[in-house]
mmCIF file of all heavy atoms in Angstrom:
data_model
loop_
_atom_site.group_PDB
_atom_site.id
_atom_site.type_symbol
_atom_site.label_atom_id
_atom_site.label_comp_id
_atom_site.label_asym_id
_atom_site.label_seq_id
_atom_site.Cartn_x
_atom_site.Cartn_y
_atom_site.Cartn_z
ATOM 1 N N THR O 75 -4.187 -29.313 -18.565
ATOM 2 C CA THR O 75 -3.201 -29.236 -19.699
ATOM 3 C C THR O 75 -3.840 -29.882 -20.928
ATOM 4 O O THR O 75 -4.603 -30.828 -20.785
ATOM 5 C CB THR O 75 -1.907 -29.941 -19.325
ATOM 6 O OG1 THR O 75 -0.908 -29.598 -20.216
ATOM 7 C CG2 THR O 75 -1.998 -31.391 -19.066
ATOM 8 N N THR O 98 -11.214 -23.851 -18.875
ATOM 9 C CA THR O 98 -11.534 -23.217 -17.466
ATOM 10 C C THR O 98 -13.034 -23.566 -17.167
ATOM 11 O O THR O 98 -13.375 -23.941 -15.974
ATOM 12 C CB THR O 98 -11.394 -21.774 -17.619
ATOM 13 O OG1 THR O 98 -10.040 -21.543 -17.788
ATOM 14 C CG2 THR O 98 -11.776 -21.018 -16.321
ATOM 15 N N ARG O 101 -13.455 -27.072 -15.919
ATOM 16 C CA ARG O 101 -13.054 -27.234 -14.515
ATOM 17 C C ARG O 101 -14.152 -26.680 -13.585
ATOM 18 O O ARG O 101 -14.225 -27.120 -12.438
ATOM 19 C CB ARG O 101 -11.700 -26.573 -14.242
ATOM 20 C CG ARG O 101 -10.569 -27.243 -14.996
ATOM 21 C CD ARG O 101 -9.192 -26.789 -14.432
ATOM 22 N NE ARG O 101 -9.027 -25.408 -14.544
ATOM 23 C CZ ARG O 101 -8.373 -24.841 -15.564
ATOM 24 N NH1 ARG O 101 -7.961 -25.559 -16.613
ATOM 25 N NH2 ARG O 101 -8.105 -23.556 -15.564
ATOM 26 N N GLN O 102 -14.858 -25.638 -14.040
ATOM 27 C CA GLN O 102 -15.888 -25.040 -13.158
ATOM 28 C C GLN O 102 -17.120 -26.049 -12.965
ATOM 29 O O GLN O 102 -17.582 -26.088 -11.868
ATOM 30 C CB GLN O 102 -16.370 -23.825 -13.817
ATOM 31 C CG GLN O 102 -15.432 -22.533 -13.722
ATOM 32 C CD GLN O 102 -15.947 -21.437 -14.486
ATOM 33 O OE1 GLN O 102 -17.052 -21.443 -15.012
ATOM 34 N NE2 GLN O 102 -15.190 -20.366 -14.514
ATOM 35 N N PHE O 107 -11.927 -31.764 -8.508
ATOM 36 C CA PHE O 107 -10.614 -32.263 -8.193
ATOM 37 C C PHE O 107 -10.506 -32.564 -6.721
ATOM 38 O O PHE O 107 -10.949 -31.743 -5.862
ATOM 39 C CB PHE O 107 -9.542 -31.292 -8.478
ATOM 40 C CG PHE O 107 -9.364 -31.092 -10.011
ATOM 41 C CD1 PHE O 107 -9.820 -29.914 -10.605
ATOM 42 C CD2 PHE O 107 -8.589 -31.900 -10.677
ATOM 43 C CE1 PHE O 107 -9.637 -29.709 -11.878
ATOM 44 C CE2 PHE O 107 -8.393 -31.737 -12.057
ATOM 45 C CZ PHE O 107 -8.884 -30.591 -12.706
ATOM 46 N N LYS O 111 -2.557 -33.359 -1.524
ATOM 47 C CA LYS O 111 -2.239 -32.301 -0.507
ATOM 48 C C LYS O 111 -3.432 -31.465 -0.140
ATOM 49 O O LYS O 111 -3.341 -30.364 0.425
ATOM 50 C CB LYS O 111 -1.082 -31.459 -0.861
ATOM 51 C CG LYS O 111 0.247 -32.211 -1.075
ATOM 52 C CD LYS O 111 1.286 -31.323 -1.526
ATOM 53 C CE LYS O 111 2.629 -32.013 -1.625
ATOM 54 N NZ LYS O 111 3.688 -31.113 -2.176
ATOM 55 N N ASN O 113 -5.080 -29.193 -0.870
ATOM 56 C CA ASN O 113 -5.092 -27.856 -1.520
ATOM 57 C C ASN O 113 -6.311 -26.973 -1.115
ATOM 58 O O ASN O 113 -6.994 -26.428 -2.005
ATOM 59 C CB ASN O 113 -5.093 -28.162 -3.068
ATOM 60 C CG ASN O 113 -3.757 -28.442 -3.602
ATOM 61 O OD1 ASN O 113 -2.731 -28.190 -2.921
ATOM 62 N ND2 ASN O 113 -3.708 -29.067 -4.782
ATOM 63 N N TYR O 129 -18.820 -19.904 -6.129
ATOM 64 C CA TYR O 129 -18.662 -18.562 -6.529
ATOM 65 C C TYR O 129 -17.956 -18.516 -7.893
ATOM 66 O O TYR O 129 -18.409 -17.899 -8.849
ATOM 67 C CB TYR O 129 -17.952 -17.753 -5.575
ATOM 68 C CG TYR O 129 -17.866 -16.279 -5.936
ATOM 69 C CD1 TYR O 129 -18.930 -15.441 -5.986
ATOM 70 C CD2 TYR O 129 -16.619 -15.732 -6.186
ATOM 71 C CE1 TYR O 129 -18.813 -14.104 -6.293
ATOM 72 C CE2 TYR O 129 -16.489 -14.494 -6.530
ATOM 73 C CZ TYR O 129 -17.556 -13.632 -6.524
ATOM 74 O OH TYR O 129 -17.533 -12.342 -6.934
ATOM 75 N N ILE O 130 -16.858 -19.264 -7.951
ATOM 76 C CA ILE O 130 -16.106 -19.318 -9.273
ATOM 77 C C ILE O 130 -16.970 -19.819 -10.416
ATOM 78 O O ILE O 130 -16.938 -19.356 -11.550
ATOM 79 C CB ILE O 130 -14.779 -20.109 -9.078
ATOM 80 C CG1 ILE O 130 -13.836 -19.312 -8.234
ATOM 81 C CG2 ILE O 130 -14.181 -20.405 -10.433
ATOM 82 C CD1 ILE O 130 -12.626 -20.097 -7.760
ATOM 83 N N ARG A 413 0.750 -21.295 -5.072
ATOM 84 C CA ARG A 413 -0.088 -22.437 -4.874
ATOM 85 C C ARG A 413 -1.564 -22.189 -4.851
ATOM 86 O O ARG A 413 -2.434 -22.888 -5.437
ATOM 87 C CB ARG A 413 0.443 -23.191 -3.660
ATOM 88 C CG ARG A 413 -0.106 -24.588 -3.541
ATOM 89 C CD ARG A 413 0.466 -25.265 -2.298
ATOM 90 N NE ARG A 413 -0.162 -26.603 -2.191
ATOM 91 C CZ ARG A 413 0.328 -27.674 -2.794
ATOM 92 N NH1 ARG A 413 1.381 -27.479 -3.643
ATOM 93 N NH2 ARG A 413 -0.196 -28.841 -2.756
ATOM 94 N N ILE A 417 -4.614 -23.382 -7.074
ATOM 95 C CA ILE A 417 -5.861 -24.045 -6.572
ATOM 96 C C ILE A 417 -7.022 -23.314 -7.160
ATOM 97 O O ILE A 417 -7.980 -24.020 -7.675
ATOM 98 C CB ILE A 417 -5.920 -23.917 -5.041
ATOM 99 C CG1 ILE A 417 -4.831 -24.727 -4.404
ATOM 100 C CG2 ILE A 417 -7.318 -24.413 -4.484
ATOM 101 C CD1 ILE A 417 -4.679 -24.476 -2.886
ATOM 102 N N LYS A 419 -7.160 -21.734 -10.042
ATOM 103 C CA LYS A 419 -7.200 -22.115 -11.474
ATOM 104 C C LYS A 419 -7.867 -23.472 -11.571
ATOM 105 O O LYS A 419 -8.653 -23.764 -12.483
ATOM 106 C CB LYS A 419 -5.868 -21.982 -12.077
ATOM 107 C CG LYS A 419 -5.347 -20.518 -12.192
ATOM 108 C CD LYS A 419 -4.359 -20.338 -13.185
ATOM 109 C CE LYS A 419 -4.928 -20.163 -14.527
ATOM 110 N NZ LYS A 419 -3.957 -19.733 -15.632
ATOM 111 N N ALA A 420 -7.403 -24.429 -10.670
ATOM 112 C CA ALA A 420 -7.893 -25.814 -10.756
ATOM 113 C C ALA A 420 -9.377 -25.837 -10.588
ATOM 114 O O ALA A 420 -10.108 -26.624 -11.043
ATOM 115 C CB ALA A 420 -7.178 -26.644 -9.743
ATOM 116 N N GLY A 422 -11.330 -23.603 -11.548
ATOM 117 C CA GLY A 422 -12.014 -23.088 -12.745
ATOM 118 C C GLY A 422 -11.931 -21.495 -12.699
ATOM 119 O O GLY A 422 -12.752 -20.896 -13.541
ATOM 120 N N ALA A 423 -11.106 -20.873 -11.901
ATOM 121 C CA ALA A 423 -10.918 -19.531 -11.926
ATOM 122 C C ALA A 423 -10.322 -19.007 -13.199
ATOM 123 O O ALA A 423 -9.317 -19.510 -13.613
ATOM 124 C CB ALA A 423 -10.178 -18.955 -10.694
ATOM 125 N N PHE A 427 -10.760 -13.477 -13.302
ATOM 126 C CA PHE A 427 -11.236 -13.660 -11.901
ATOM 127 C C PHE A 427 -9.968 -13.406 -10.919
ATOM 128 O O PHE A 427 -10.108 -12.620 -9.915
ATOM 129 C CB PHE A 427 -11.826 -15.027 -11.667
ATOM 130 C CG PHE A 427 -12.211 -15.382 -10.338
ATOM 131 C CD1 PHE A 427 -13.547 -15.044 -9.944
ATOM 132 C CD2 PHE A 427 -11.408 -15.840 -9.323
ATOM 133 C CE1 PHE A 427 -14.027 -15.348 -8.629
ATOM 134 C CE2 PHE A 427 -11.783 -16.133 -8.069
ATOM 135 C CZ PHE A 427 -13.202 -15.867 -7.733
ATOM 136 N N ILE A 503 -0.704 -26.344 -13.262
ATOM 137 C CA ILE A 503 0.024 -27.527 -12.757
ATOM 138 C C ILE A 503 1.319 -27.130 -12.153
ATOM 139 O O ILE A 503 1.658 -27.595 -10.988
ATOM 140 C CB ILE A 503 0.415 -28.548 -13.909
ATOM 141 C CG1 ILE A 503 -0.890 -28.971 -14.579
ATOM 142 C CG2 ILE A 503 1.211 -29.749 -13.438
ATOM 143 C CD1 ILE A 503 -0.752 -29.689 -15.885
ATOM 144 N N LEU A 506 0.396 -25.584 -8.736
ATOM 145 C CA LEU A 506 0.016 -26.453 -7.717
ATOM 146 C C LEU A 506 1.348 -27.298 -7.176
ATOM 147 O O LEU A 506 1.276 -27.808 -6.065
ATOM 148 C CB LEU A 506 -1.008 -27.534 -8.299
ATOM 149 C CG LEU A 506 -2.359 -26.984 -8.483
ATOM 150 C CD1 LEU A 506 -3.176 -27.930 -9.296
ATOM 151 C CD2 LEU A 506 -3.086 -26.779 -7.185
ATOM 152 N N ASP A 509 5.927 -25.105 -3.715
ATOM 153 C CA ASP A 509 5.861 -25.222 -2.262
ATOM 154 C C ASP A 509 6.551 -24.074 -1.560
ATOM 155 O O ASP A 509 7.619 -23.578 -2.016
ATOM 156 C CB ASP A 509 6.602 -26.527 -1.768
ATOM 157 C CG ASP A 509 5.702 -27.722 -1.851
ATOM 158 O OD1 ASP A 509 4.509 -27.558 -1.454
ATOM 159 O OD2 ASP A 509 6.138 -28.855 -2.327
#
Side-chain angles (χ1 to χ4, degrees):
Chain O
T75 190
T98 297
R101 294 197 296 271
Q102 287 175 2
F107 292 101
K111 292 181 179 174
N113 282 341
Y129 180 69
I130 288 170
Chain A
R413 191 178 180 82
I417 294 168
K419 292 201 83 168
F427 181 90
I503 299 168
L506 285 169
D509 275 319

